[in-house]
Amino acid sequence: MIQDIQKEILRLKKENDICILAHSYVAHEILEIADFTGDSYALSVKAKSAPQKTVLMVGVRFMAETVKILSPEKTVLLSHPEAGCPMAEQMDKNLIEAVKKEYPDYTVVAYINTTAALKTVCDVCVTSSSAVKIVKQIENKNILFIPDCNLGAYVRELVPEKNFKLLQGGCPVHASVNESEAVAAKQKYPNAKLLVHPECTPDVVKYADYVGSTSGIMDYVMQSDCDEFIIGTELSIAEHLQYACPDKTFHFLSQKLICPNMKKSTLMDVYNAVRGKSVCEIDLDSDTIAKARRCIDEMIRLGG
Ligand code: 13P
Ligand code: SF4
């Protein structure tokens, strides 16, 4: 049954000239029929070069908005109308404009998990895989990093030559893991490597053997000689890795690492989108696109 729907999706996406991009947090049966899968950075770069007229983003809204900003001529669809990222909604344009007045000589570095409207008042975007590289290259010493204070603290640690101002935002899913869970997991599985997303708190990150984006964690496992891992990001990553590496063993850092928004999109939503039913099209005005694009172009220039 799943295979029949997958076959039909593959046929319809070709017939209707649709490119499917899927973030690594979505279900395995969706990754199997996507044109590209990966972390936020890889997807935003891939979307730009996709030849199809329509792009379907299976992930959350800020990811689909990023595709629209980079390819305004394309029709961009989001797999589920309510798939948002709570972190992206935590800070709005008015708040950041007010903070900028307090810190006028700071470069505003926005995690890509922000709305298109907020990106219009920022200087450069970063993703979890590109943040350190990009921040190092910024000429200004003063960095206002928004909205994720945990990713910001991780970058600050690795770029000590800069002066950081962090605001109190973050991912409710990753920030829910606490230090005692990290200690307990390491004690329970002493031979396993602990791999953690930088959206986790510094109290958890300090125990990690590797810190990286979703793709970074997957690449680490596939290249590692080690055969046992504790996965410190969304639980789906352990599932995808188990398919890719059946002989390796995976443990969850915490059962709380489930992103409800990434779980909203199902294979049936993808099927409905490619056959033109229940379509959620991303619509951004040209002024927002032009202003938000500057900081995404800057991210690709510095992160490439
Ligand atoms: P990545 O950049 O690692 O894909 O992370 C996106 C995200 O939302 C993690 O919670
Ligand atoms: Fe947003 Fe966190 Fe979900 Fe990633 S895991 S999409 S940051 S809520």
PDB file of all heavy atoms in Angstrom, residues 244-260:
ATOM      1  N   ALA A 244      19.939   3.019   7.309  1.00  0.00           N
ATOM      2  CA  ALA A 244      21.201   3.173   6.561  1.00  0.00           C
ATOM      3  C   ALA A 244      22.302   2.270   7.110  1.00  0.00           C
ATOM      4  O   ALA A 244      23.163   1.810   6.359  1.00  0.00           O
ATOM      5  CB  ALA A 244      21.643   4.637   6.603  1.00  0.00           C
ATOM      6  N   CYS A 245      22.287   2.035   8.419  1.00  0.00           N
ATOM      7  CA  CYS A 245      23.365   1.263   9.057  1.00  0.00           C
ATOM      8  C   CYS A 245      22.739   0.172   9.931  1.00  0.00           C
ATOM      9  O   CYS A 245      22.720   0.292  11.180  1.00  0.00           O
ATOM     10  CB  CYS A 245      24.230   2.175   9.941  1.00  0.00           C
ATOM     11  SG  CYS A 245      24.805   3.654   9.141  1.00  0.00           S
ATOM     12  N   PRO A 246      22.205  -0.888   9.332  1.00  0.00           N
ATOM     13  CA  PRO A 246      21.482  -1.903  10.113  1.00  0.00           C
ATOM     14  C   PRO A 246      22.335  -2.605  11.161  1.00  0.00           C
ATOM     15  O   PRO A 246      21.798  -3.132  12.140  1.00  0.00           O
ATOM     16  CB  PRO A 246      20.978  -2.887   9.052  1.00  0.00           C
ATOM     17  CG  PRO A 246      21.623  -2.512   7.773  1.00  0.00           C
ATOM     18  CD  PRO A 246      22.186  -1.146   7.889  1.00  0.00           C
ATOM     19  N   ASP A 247      23.655  -2.606  10.984  1.00  0.00           N
ATOM     20  CA  ASP A 247      24.518  -3.306  11.950  1.00  0.00           C
ATOM     21  C   ASP A 247      24.915  -2.446  13.141  1.00  0.00           C
ATOM     22  O   ASP A 247      25.558  -2.925  14.076  1.00  0.00           O
ATOM     23  CB  ASP A 247      25.782  -3.825  11.248  1.00  0.00           C
ATOM     24  CG  ASP A 247      25.417  -4.857  10.187  1.00  0.00           C
ATOM     25  OD1 ASP A 247      24.354  -5.503  10.340  1.00  0.00           O
ATOM     26  OD2 ASP A 247      26.161  -4.970   9.192  1.00  0.00           O
ATOM     27  N   LYS A 248      24.607  -1.150  13.082  1.00  0.00           N
ATOM     28  CA  LYS A 248      24.972  -0.269  14.199  1.00  0.00           C
ATOM     29  C   LYS A 248      23.785  -0.157  15.172  1.00  0.00           C
ATOM     30  O   LYS A 248      22.646  -0.423  14.801  1.00  0.00           O
ATOM     31  CB  LYS A 248      25.394   1.097  13.670  1.00  0.00           C
ATOM     32  CG  LYS A 248      26.630   0.993  12.763  1.00  0.00           C
ATOM     33  CD  LYS A 248      27.290   2.321  12.465  1.00  0.00           C
ATOM     34  CE  LYS A 248      28.530   2.064  11.603  1.00  0.00           C
ATOM     35  NZ  LYS A 248      29.446   3.182  11.524  1.00  0.00           N
ATOM     36  N   THR A 249      24.097   0.262  16.385  1.00  0.00           N
ATOM     37  CA  THR A 249      23.054   0.351  17.421  1.00  0.00           C
ATOM     38  C   THR A 249      22.822   1.817  17.792  1.00  0.00           C
ATOM     39  O   THR A 249      23.787   2.568  17.987  1.00  0.00           O
ATOM     40  CB  THR A 249      23.509  -0.431  18.675  1.00  0.00           C
ATOM     41  OG1 THR A 249      23.757  -1.769  18.259  1.00  0.00           O
ATOM     42  CG2 THR A 249      22.460  -0.427  19.770  1.00  0.00           C
ATOM     43  N   PHE A 250      21.537   2.187  17.893  1.00  0.00           N
ATOM     44  CA  PHE A 250      21.194   3.577  18.202  1.00  0.00           C
ATOM     45  C   PHE A 250      20.308   3.658  19.433  1.00  0.00           C
ATOM     46  O   PHE A 250      19.383   2.865  19.586  1.00  0.00           O
ATOM     47  CB  PHE A 250      20.480   4.209  16.990  1.00  0.00           C
ATOM     48  CG  PHE A 250      21.339   4.201  15.765  1.00  0.00           C
ATOM     49  CD1 PHE A 250      21.217   3.188  14.821  1.00  0.00           C
ATOM     50  CD2 PHE A 250      22.309   5.172  15.579  1.00  0.00           C
ATOM     51  CE1 PHE A 250      22.039   3.152  13.703  1.00  0.00           C
ATOM     52  CE2 PHE A 250      23.147   5.143  14.471  1.00  0.00           C
ATOM     53  CZ  PHE A 250      23.016   4.130  13.531  1.00  0.00           C
ATOM     54  N   HIS A 251      20.613   4.615  20.308  1.00  0.00           N
ATOM     55  CA  HIS A 251      19.794   4.881  21.497  1.00  0.00           C
ATOM     56  C   HIS A 251      19.316   6.325  21.399  1.00  0.00           C
ATOM     57  O   HIS A 251      19.980   7.164  20.794  1.00  0.00           O
ATOM     58  CB  HIS A 251      20.632   4.722  22.775  1.00  0.00           C
ATOM     59  CG  HIS A 251      21.389   3.440  22.822  1.00  0.00           C
ATOM     60  ND1 HIS A 251      20.785   2.223  23.037  1.00  0.00           N
ATOM     61  CD2 HIS A 251      22.718   3.183  22.663  1.00  0.00           C
ATOM     62  CE1 HIS A 251      21.695   1.268  23.025  1.00  0.00           C
ATOM     63  NE2 HIS A 251      22.882   1.819  22.794  1.00  0.00           N
ATOM     64  N   PHE A 252      18.165   6.609  22.028  1.00  0.00           N
ATOM     65  CA  PHE A 252      17.664   7.985  22.058  1.00  0.00           C
ATOM     66  C   PHE A 252      18.223   8.685  23.294  1.00  0.00           C
ATOM     67  O   PHE A 252      18.191   8.109  24.387  1.00  0.00           O
ATOM     68  CB  PHE A 252      16.141   8.008  22.149  1.00  0.00           C
ATOM     69  CG  PHE A 252      15.436   7.298  21.014  1.00  0.00           C
ATOM     70  CD1 PHE A 252      14.431   6.374  21.269  1.00  0.00           C
ATOM     71  CD2 PHE A 252      15.765   7.577  19.695  1.00  0.00           C
ATOM     72  CE1 PHE A 252      13.766   5.727  20.234  1.00  0.00           C
ATOM     73  CE2 PHE A 252      15.110   6.928  18.649  1.00  0.00           C
ATOM     74  CZ  PHE A 252      14.112   6.008  18.920  1.00  0.00           C
ATOM     75  N   LEU A 253      18.689   9.913  23.127  1.00  0.00           N
ATOM     76  CA  LEU A 253      19.123  10.673  24.305  1.00  0.00           C
ATOM     77  C   LEU A 253      17.917  10.922  25.208  1.00  0.00           C
ATOM     78  O   LEU A 253      18.022  10.850  26.435  1.00  0.00           O
ATOM     79  CB  LEU A 253      19.758  12.006  23.863  1.00  0.00           C
ATOM     80  CG  LEU A 253      20.073  13.005  24.959  1.00  0.00           C
ATOM     81  CD1 LEU A 253      21.022  12.426  25.996  1.00  0.00           C
ATOM     82  CD2 LEU A 253      20.665  14.287  24.374  1.00  0.00           C
ATOM     83  N   SER A 254      16.760  11.233  24.593  1.00  0.00           N
ATOM     84  CA  SER A 254      15.551  11.477  25.383  1.00  0.00           C
ATOM     85  C   SER A 254      14.332  11.175  24.522  1.00  0.00           C
ATOM     86  O   SER A 254      14.303  11.540  23.340  1.00  0.00           O
ATOM     87  CB  SER A 254      15.512  12.936  25.834  1.00  0.00           C
ATOM     88  OG  SER A 254      14.214  13.276  26.263  1.00  0.00           O
ATOM     89  N   GLN A 255      13.333  10.573  25.139  1.00  0.00           N
ATOM     90  CA  GLN A 255      12.078  10.286  24.420  1.00  0.00           C
ATOM     91  C   GLN A 255      11.321  11.572  24.113  1.00  0.00           C
ATOM     92  O   GLN A 255      10.350  11.561  23.352  1.00  0.00           O
ATOM     93  CB  GLN A 255      11.181   9.354  25.260  1.00  0.00           C
ATOM     94  CG  GLN A 255      11.739   7.956  25.461  1.00  0.00           C
ATOM     95  CD  GLN A 255      11.668   7.088  24.203  1.00  0.00           C
ATOM     96  OE1 GLN A 255      10.980   7.423  23.250  1.00  0.00           O
ATOM     97  NE2 GLN A 255      12.398   5.977  24.197  1.00  0.00           N
ATOM     98  N   LYS A 256      11.749  12.707  24.724  1.00  0.00           N
ATOM     99  CA  LYS A 256      11.046  13.975  24.485  1.00  0.00           C
ATOM    100  C   LYS A 256      11.434  14.609  23.151  1.00  0.00           C
ATOM    101  O   LYS A 256      10.851  15.609  22.750  1.00  0.00           O
ATOM    102  CB  LYS A 256      11.384  14.971  25.616  1.00  0.00           C
ATOM    103  CG  LYS A 256      10.799  14.583  26.959  1.00  0.00           C
ATOM    104  CD  LYS A 256      11.207  15.569  28.042  1.00  0.00           C
ATOM    105  CE  LYS A 256      12.646  15.412  28.422  1.00  0.00           C
ATOM    106  NZ  LYS A 256      13.106  16.183  29.579  1.00  0.00           N
ATOM    107  N   LEU A 257      12.447  14.034  22.486  1.00  0.00           N
ATOM    108  CA  LEU A 257      12.951  14.666  21.258  1.00  0.00           C
ATOM    109  C   LEU A 257      12.072  14.346  20.038  1.00  0.00           C
ATOM    110  O   LEU A 257      12.509  13.705  19.082  1.00  0.00           O
ATOM    111  CB  LEU A 257      14.406  14.248  21.017  1.00  0.00           C
ATOM    112  CG  LEU A 257      15.420  15.006  21.885  1.00  0.00           C
ATOM    113  CD1 LEU A 257      16.782  14.313  21.884  1.00  0.00           C
ATOM    114  CD2 LEU A 257      15.586  16.447  21.394  1.00  0.00           C
ATOM    115  N   ILE A 258      10.831  14.788  20.131  1.00  0.00           N
ATOM    116  CA  ILE A 258       9.905  14.613  19.004  1.00  0.00           C
ATOM    117  C   ILE A 258       9.388  15.994  18.619  1.00  0.00           C
ATOM    118  O   ILE A 258       8.860  16.715  19.478  1.00  0.00           O
ATOM    119  CB  ILE A 258       8.699  13.725  19.404  1.00  0.00           C
ATOM    120  CG1 ILE A 258       9.189  12.324  19.785  1.00  0.00           C
ATOM    121  CG2 ILE A 258       7.686  13.646  18.265  1.00  0.00           C
ATOM    122  CD1 ILE A 258       8.091  11.401  20.282  1.00  0.00           C
ATOM    123  N   CYS A 259       9.563  16.376  17.373  1.00  0.00           N
ATOM    124  CA  CYS A 259       9.062  17.680  16.926  1.00  0.00           C
ATOM    125  C   CYS A 259       7.656  17.474  16.358  1.00  0.00           C
ATOM    126  O   CYS A 259       7.490  16.909  15.275  1.00  0.00           O
ATOM    127  CB  CYS A 259       9.981  18.271  15.855  1.00  0.00           C
ATOM    128  SG  CYS A 259       9.296  19.805  15.184  1.00  0.00           S
ATOM    129  N   PRO A 260       6.623  17.942  17.071  1.00  0.00           N
ATOM    130  CA  PRO A 260       5.248  17.703  16.618  1.00  0.00           C
ATOM    131  C   PRO A 260       4.964  18.342  15.267  1.00  0.00           C
ATOM    132  O   PRO A 260       4.148  17.836  14.495  1.00  0.00           O
ATOM    133  CB  PRO A 260       4.379  18.337  17.706  1.00  0.00           C
ATOM    134  CG  PRO A 260       5.290  18.888  18.740  1.00  0.00           C
ATOM    135  CD  PRO A 260       6.711  18.735  18.303  1.00  0.00           C
TER     136      PRO A 260
END
